[in-house]
Amino acid sequence: MKRLLILLTVLPAPALAEDAIVFADCREGGCSCHVSAISGDEIADITGVPTPDDAAQQTLVFYDGAFSWSRTSRDDLDLAMGGDGTCEIEVFDEIVPEDGTWTGTVEVENVTGCNPQVVAMVPSMVSDMTQTQSIAWGGVFDPAKLAGGGQSPVVRWTRVRSDHFTGLVPMPKNGVLDITVNATATLLAPDRAAATLSIRFDAAPGADAGALALIGMNGCEANAAYAFRRTGS
């Protein structure tokens, strides 16, 4: 599967705005529907599925391991999946992660504008978060616990919500390259989480940007997206 299940924490019931994006998590027996708490651009970045211009008039559907956009009403989607034909917007309390064994896998991995040496480095750079480990959350989501060691960079996390964090990896300055490393982490459900890691190389102020571009080190970017699931007690 090349796409991630994204965070779609619902808004309070009266706050269903005209431009709200509705998400339907469908399986045999029906769908559950939610209002996305993240923007269309964020949805596209995390899932790899382009967000249509009229996203508010469509429904983002997750079914059989894949995302798609549909103009079918959410009630009709529920009926088609074997439900009762009603997919009300659900409101949930704060998500509490479950203690146990969690397994991470790389779901999306791409490199653009980079020289072959960087391209060859990316698999080892992003693979350290793909492991199985026992996590005791203590009732609080902490994305630092998803990476259990290896050579993964140390991310300075900033809490946006209890279930969503953004992160930055401090990088030493030099006169040639500016290196930026950003991350996100989202708790999707008590037993599921997602994360992204983006590494970008740009010419430092005063450096020869043209020469660096020729060798694939100006505007070079590597991105990875991860899925984490609780796989055992």
Coordinates of all heavy atoms in Angstrom, one line a residue, residues 74-115:
R74 N -22.3 10.1 1.2 CA -21.8 9.2 2.2 C -22.8 8.2 2.7 O -22.5 7.1 3.0 CB -21.3 10.0 3.4 CG -22.3 10.9 4.2 CD -21.6 11.6 5.3 NE -22.5 12.4 6.1 CZ -22.7 13.7 6.0 NH1 -22.1 14.3 5.0 NH2 -23.6 14.3 6.8
D75 N -24.1 8.5 2.6 CA -25.2 7.5 3.0 C -25.2 6.4 1.9 O -25.3 5.3 2.3 CB -26.5 8.2 3.1 CG -26.7 9.1 4.3 OD1 -25.8 9.0 5.2 OD2 -27.6 9.9 4.4
D76 N -25.1 6.8 0.6 CA -25.1 5.8 -0.4 C -23.8 4.9 -0.3 O -23.8 3.7 -0.6 CB -25.2 6.4 -1.8 CG -26.6 7.0 -2.1 OD1 -27.5 6.6 -1.4 OD2 -26.7 7.8 -3.0
L77 N -22.7 5.5 0.0 CA -21.5 4.8 0.2 C -21.6 3.7 1.3 O -21.3 2.6 1.2 CB -20.3 5.7 0.6 CG -19.7 6.6 -0.5 CD1 -18.8 7.6 0.1 CD2 -18.9 5.7 -1.5
D78 N -22.3 4.1 2.4 CA -22.5 3.2 3.5 C -23.4 2.1 3.1 O -23.2 0.9 3.4 CB -23.2 4.0 4.7 CG -23.5 3.1 5.9 OD1 -22.5 2.7 6.6 OD2 -24.6 2.7 6.1
L79 N -24.4 2.4 2.3 CA -25.4 1.4 1.8 C -24.7 0.4 0.9 O -24.9 -0.8 1.0 CB -26.6 2.1 1.1 CG -27.7 1.2 0.7 CD1 -28.4 0.6 1.9 CD2 -28.7 2.0 -0.1
A80 N -23.8 0.9 0.0 CA -23.1 0.1 -0.9 C -22.2 -0.9 -0.2 O -21.9 -2.0 -0.7 CB -22.3 0.9 -1.9
M81 N -21.7 -0.5 1.0 CA -20.8 -1.4 1.8 C -21.6 -2.3 2.7 O -20.9 -3.1 3.4 CB -19.8 -0.5 2.6 CG -18.8 0.3 1.8 SD -17.6 -0.8 1.0 CE -18.1 -0.8 -0.7
G82 N -22.9 -2.3 2.6 CA -23.7 -3.2 3.4 C -24.2 -2.6 4.7 O -24.7 -3.3 5.5
G83 N -24.1 -1.3 4.8 CA -24.6 -0.6 6.0 C -26.1 -0.3 5.9 O -26.8 -0.8 4.9
D84 N -26.6 0.5 6.8 CA -28.0 0.8 6.8 C -28.4 2.0 6.0 O -29.5 2.5 5.9 CB -28.6 0.9 8.2 CG -27.9 2.1 8.9 OD1 -27.1 2.8 8.3 OD2 -28.2 2.2 10.2
G85 N -27.4 2.6 5.2 CA -27.6 3.7 4.4 C -27.5 5.1 5.2 O -28.0 6.1 4.7
T86 N -27.0 5.0 6.4 CA -26.8 6.2 7.2 C -25.3 6.3 7.6 O -24.9 5.4 8.3 CB -27.7 6.3 8.4 OG1 -29.1 6.2 7.9 CG2 -27.6 7.6 9.2
C87 N -24.7 7.4 7.3 CA -23.3 7.6 7.7 C -23.2 9.0 8.4 O -22.8 10.0 7.8 CB -22.3 7.5 6.6 SG -20.6 7.2 7.1
E88 N -23.6 9.0 9.6 CA -23.6 10.3 10.4 C -22.2 10.7 10.7 O -21.3 9.8 10.9 CB -24.4 10.2 11.7 CG -25.9 9.9 11.4 CD -26.6 11.1 10.9 OE1 -26.0 12.2 10.9 OE2 -27.8 10.9 10.4
I89 N -21.9 12.0 10.8 CA -20.6 12.4 11.3 C -20.4 12.1 12.7 O -21.2 12.4 13.6 CB -20.5 14.0 11.1 CG1 -20.7 14.4 9.6 CG2 -19.1 14.5 11.6 CD1 -19.6 13.8 8.7
E90 N -19.3 11.3 13.0 CA -19.1 10.9 14.3 C -18.2 11.8 15.1 O -17.3 12.4 14.6 CB -18.4 9.5 14.3 CG -19.3 8.4 13.7 CD -18.7 7.0 13.7 OE1 -17.6 6.9 14.4 OE2 -19.2 6.1 13.0
V91 N -18.5 11.9 16.4 CA -17.7 12.8 17.3 C -17.0 11.9 18.3 O -17.7 11.1 19.0 CB -18.5 13.9 18.0 CG1 -17.7 14.7 18.9 CG2 -19.2 14.7 16.9
F92 N -15.7 12.0 18.4 CA -15.0 11.1 19.4 C -14.3 12.0 20.4 O -14.0 13.1 20.2 CB -13.9 10.3 18.6 CG -14.5 9.3 17.7 CD1 -14.5 9.5 16.3 CD2 -15.0 8.1 18.2 CE1 -15.0 8.6 15.4 CE2 -15.5 7.2 17.3 CZ -15.5 7.4 15.9
D93 N -14.0 11.3 21.6 CA -13.2 11.9 22.6 C -11.8 11.8 22.2 O -11.4 11.3 21.2 CB -13.4 11.2 23.9 CG -14.8 11.4 24.5 OD1 -15.4 12.5 24.2 OD2 -15.4 10.5 25.1
E94 N -10.9 12.4 23.0 CA -9.5 12.4 22.7 C -9.0 10.9 22.5 O -9.4 10.0 23.3 CB -8.7 13.1 23.8 CG -7.2 13.1 23.7 CD -6.6 13.9 24.8 OE1 -6.9 15.1 24.9 OE2 -5.7 13.4 25.5
I95 N -8.1 10.7 21.5 CA -7.6 9.4 21.3 C -6.5 9.0 22.3 O -5.6 9.8 22.6 CB -7.0 9.3 19.9 CG1 -8.1 9.6 18.8 CG2 -6.5 7.9 19.6 CD1 -7.5 9.7 17.4
V96 N -6.6 7.8 22.9 CA -5.6 7.4 23.8 C -4.9 6.2 23.2 O -5.5 5.2 22.9 CB -6.2 7.0 25.2 CG1 -5.2 6.4 26.1 CG2 -7.0 8.2 25.8
P97 N -3.6 6.2 23.0 CA -2.9 5.1 22.4 C -2.8 3.9 23.3 O -2.7 4.0 24.5 CB -1.5 5.7 22.2 CG -1.3 6.7 23.2 CD -2.7 7.3 23.4
E98 N -2.8 2.7 22.7 CA -2.8 1.5 23.4 C -1.4 1.0 23.6 O -0.6 1.0 22.7 CB -3.6 0.4 22.7 CG -5.1 0.7 22.6 CD -5.8 -0.3 21.8 OE1 -5.2 -1.2 21.1 OE2 -7.1 -0.2 21.7
D99 N -1.0 0.6 24.8 CA 0.3 0.0 25.1 C 0.4 -1.3 24.4 O -0.6 -2.0 24.1 CB 0.5 -0.2 26.6 CG 0.5 1.1 27.4 OD1 0.7 2.2 26.8 OD2 0.4 1.0 28.6
G100 N 1.6 -1.7 24.1 CA 1.8 -3.0 23.4 C 2.9 -3.0 22.4 O 3.8 -2.1 22.4
T101 N 2.9 -3.9 21.5 CA 3.9 -4.0 20.5 C 3.4 -3.3 19.2 O 2.4 -3.5 18.7 CB 4.2 -5.5 20.1 OG1 4.6 -6.2 21.2 CG2 5.2 -5.6 19.0
W102 N 4.3 -2.3 18.8 CA 3.9 -1.5 17.6 C 5.0 -1.8 16.5 O 6.2 -1.9 16.8 CB 3.9 0.0 18.0 CG 2.7 0.4 18.8 CD1 2.4 0.0 20.0 CD2 1.7 1.3 18.3 NE1 1.2 0.6 20.4 CE2 0.8 1.4 19.4 CE3 1.5 2.0 17.2 CZ2 -0.3 2.2 19.3 CZ3 0.4 2.8 17.1 CH2 -0.5 2.9 18.1
T103 N 4.5 -1.9 15.3 CA 5.3 -2.1 14.1 C 5.2 -1.0 13.1 O 4.1 -0.5 12.8 CB 4.9 -3.4 13.4 OG1 5.1 -4.5 14.4 CG2 5.8 -3.7 12.2
G104 N 6.4 -0.5 12.7 CA 6.4 0.6 11.7 C 6.8 0.1 10.3 O 7.7 -0.7 10.2
T105 N 6.2 0.7 9.3 CA 6.6 0.4 7.9 C 6.7 1.6 7.1 O 6.0 2.6 7.4 CB 5.7 -0.6 7.2 OG1 4.3 -0.1 7.3 CG2 5.6 -2.0 8.0
V106 N 7.6 1.7 6.1 CA 7.6 2.8 5.2 C 6.5 2.6 4.1 O 6.4 1.6 3.5 CB 9.0 2.9 4.4 CG1 9.0 4.0 3.4 CG2 10.1 3.1 5.4
E107 N 5.6 3.6 4.0 CA 4.5 3.5 3.1 C 4.8 4.3 1.8 O 4.3 3.9 0.7 CB 3.2 4.1 3.7 CG 2.8 3.3 4.9 CD 2.2 1.9 4.5 OE1 1.2 1.9 3.8 OE2 2.9 0.9 4.9
V108 N 5.5 5.4 1.9 CA 5.8 6.2 0.7 C 7.3 6.7 0.9 O 7.7 7.0 1.9 CB 4.9 7.5 0.7 CG1 5.3 8.3 -0.5 CG2 3.5 7.1 0.6
E109 N 8.0 6.6 -0.2 CA 9.4 7.0 -0.2 C 9.7 7.5 -1.6 O 9.5 6.9 -2.6 CB 10.3 5.8 0.1 CG 11.8 6.0 0.1 CD 12.5 4.7 0.3 OE1 12.2 3.9 1.2 OE2 13.5 4.5 -0.4
N110 N 10.2 8.8 -1.6 CA 10.6 9.4 -2.9 C 11.7 10.4 -2.8 O 11.8 11.0 -1.7 CB 9.4 10.0 -3.6 CG 8.8 11.1 -2.9 OD1 9.3 12.2 -2.8 ND2 7.6 10.9 -2.2
V111 N 12.4 10.6 -3.8 CA 13.5 11.5 -3.9 C 13.4 12.3 -5.1 O 13.2 11.7 -6.2 CB 14.9 10.7 -3.8 CG1 16.1 11.7 -3.7 CG2 14.9 9.8 -2.7
T112 N 13.6 13.6 -5.0 CA 13.5 14.5 -6.2 C 14.7 15.5 -6.2 O 15.1 16.0 -5.2 CB 12.2 15.3 -6.3 OG1 12.1 16.1 -5.1 CG2 11.0 14.3 -6.4
G113 N 15.2 15.7 -7.4 CA 16.3 16.7 -7.6 C 17.6 16.4 -7.0 O 18.4 17.3 -6.7
C114 N 17.9 15.1 -6.7 CA 19.1 14.7 -6.0 C 20.1 13.9 -6.9 O 19.7 13.3 -7.9 CB 18.7 13.9 -4.8 SG 17.6 14.7 -3.6
N115 N 21.3 14.0 -6.5 CA 22.3 13.2 -7.2 C 22.2 11.7 -6.8 O 21.6 11.4 -5.8 CB 23.7 13.7 -7.0 CG 24.3 13.6 -5.6 OD1 24.0 12.6 -4.9 ND2 25.0 14.5 -5.1

